[in-house]
Amino acid sequence: MYTRFEPGYILDAHLIEELQGVKADGAFFATLDHDLDVFILRHGQSKGNASNTYQGRYDFPLTAQGEKEARQAGEWLSQFKPDYILASPMLRAKRSAEIVSSVIDPAHIEFDDILIEMDTGVFSGIDPSTAAQRYPDIWEDFYRRSWDAIPAAESSKSIYARSIIAWQHIRDIATRGASRIICITHGGLLQWLIRSTLGVHDWLPLLPITNCCISKYEIEIIKKGVITFAQWTLINLHPLESSCKIR
């Protein structure tokens, strides 16, 4: 089994509670003085994905297919001339970011522990069949409450708070001048990066989040400090599904 990635942060319980009342909507970005496009994608296929394993914090590398997916994503993203990449430092996301960066050559690339995958608790390192056999009662509750049902998994409150912190970091990067930011992370956190723009605090229903598919969040400054328009213009687009340029 691969080693666990241990983050360099501990979220304070008070901060977690405080951030439950924040959402990364238009008002959240109202201090910006320019429009912002944020492209969010999950890493390419990892060895854990290929074996249908719950990965969590286990540090699985990419497969050859995953490296190919990352390059395809970079080629598609290059049409927008992104100027910043922010990524999880876990192997599968870091390597994906390095490949995307080699294609688009952004001005900056940064790795931040706040973007790592959620801890999947007692399901970590096993496949769904094993999880169902080993923990039948928990498996049944998993369908009702998703990861909040799993012992030792990261709570939805914690992952919501991490998502808001990630958006705060993205906003700070934009304040320093970036206008087209790529964020490369993991399927679990990506669910909540989207949810936290809507103020949604429930796991279910799940969103489709597949390897190296791209979601795009657009922030349009109508009047600085007063009116900001935010919208998701893409959710889970596979680069090969679109041969034409989009805005």
Side-chain angles (χ1 to χ4, degrees):
M1 181 57 64
Y2 294 93
T3 58
R4 278 179 57 90
F5 184 95
E6 298 300 336
Y9 68 83
I10 298 176
L11 289 187
D12 175 79
H14 177 74
L15 178 61
I16 289 174
E17 288 297 331
E18 181 180 297
L19 292 176
Q20 301 309 300
V22 179
K23 61 180 178 178
D25 57 3
F28 180 90
F29 293 95
T31 56
L32 296 182
D33 60 8
H34 61 274
D35 295 347
L36 172 65
D37 291 338
V38 183
F39 301 90
I40 302 180
L41 61 151
R42 185 185 182 191
H43 55 79
Q45 184 194 68
S46 68
K47 291 189 175 181
N49 296 142
S51 61
N52 198 27
T53 299
Y54 292 120
Q55 300 173 96
R57 299 279 169 84
Y58 282 116
D59 216 4
F60 288 87
L62 292 183
T63 62
Q65 175 63 23
E67 297 210 355
K68 178 180 178 182
E69 291 167 347
R71 181 162 297 279
Q72 290 170 342
E75 290 169 353
W76 189 87
L77 286 163
S78 65
Q79 66 182 293
F80 301 100
K81 299 182 176 12
D83 44 23
Y84 207 107
I85 292 178
L86 179 65
S88 160
M90 295 184 73
L91 287 177
R92 53 195 185 269
K94 182 179 181 181
R95 181 58 183 151
S96 297
E98 290 169 346
I99 294 170
V100 170
S101 179
S102 72
V103 176
I104 66 173
D105 192 26
H108 301 279
I109 181 169
E110 177 186 352
F111 299 99
D112 187 346
D113 282 10
I114 209 68
L115 293 173
I116 66 173
E117 182 59 297
M118 60 172 290
D119 194 329
T120 50
V122 298
F123 282 8
S124 298
I126 60 178
D127 62 27
S129 177
T130 302
Q133 292 173 11
R134 189 176 296 176
Y135 306 104
D137 292 339
I138 294 171
W139 181 256
E140 185 174 312
D141 201 20
F142 186 41
Y143 280 96
R144 300 189 188 98
R145 299 192 297 127
S146 192
W147 291 103
D148 280 333
I150 310 306
E154 184 176 10
S155 70
S156 56
K157 281 190 173 184
S158 174
I159 200 167
Y160 186 97
R162 276 207 294 130
S163 297
I164 293 298
I165 294 170
W167 281 118
Q168 290 171 338
H169 191 174
I170 289 168
R171 183 180 60 189
D172 289 345
I173 292 169
T175 299
R176 299 197 297 269
S179 59
R180 295 171 301 280
I181 299 171
I182 296 172
C183 178
I184 301 177
T185 183
H186 306 264
L189 184 67
L190 208 161
Q191 291 276 343
W192 287 87
L193 286 172
I194 296 175
R195 280 172 159 69
S196 62
T197 66
L198 306 170
V200 173
H201 292 264
D202 297 317
W203 263 108
L204 302 174
L206 294 176
L207 298 164
I209 304 293
T210 49
N211 292 121
C212 268
C213 284
I214 298 162
S215 298
K216 185 183 181 187
Y217 194 40
E218 295 187 9
I219 311 298
E220 183 179 359
I221 307 302
I222 307 300
K223 186 175 182 181
K224 182 181 177 182
V226 181
I227 304 172
T228 306
F229 183 70
Q231 63 175 331
W232 287 97
T233 55
L234 292 175
I235 298 285
N236 203 48
L237 174 80
H238 192 288
L240 296 185
E241 291 176 357
S242 177
S243 59
C244 60
K245 293 187 176 182
I246 63 171
R247 71 183 185 92

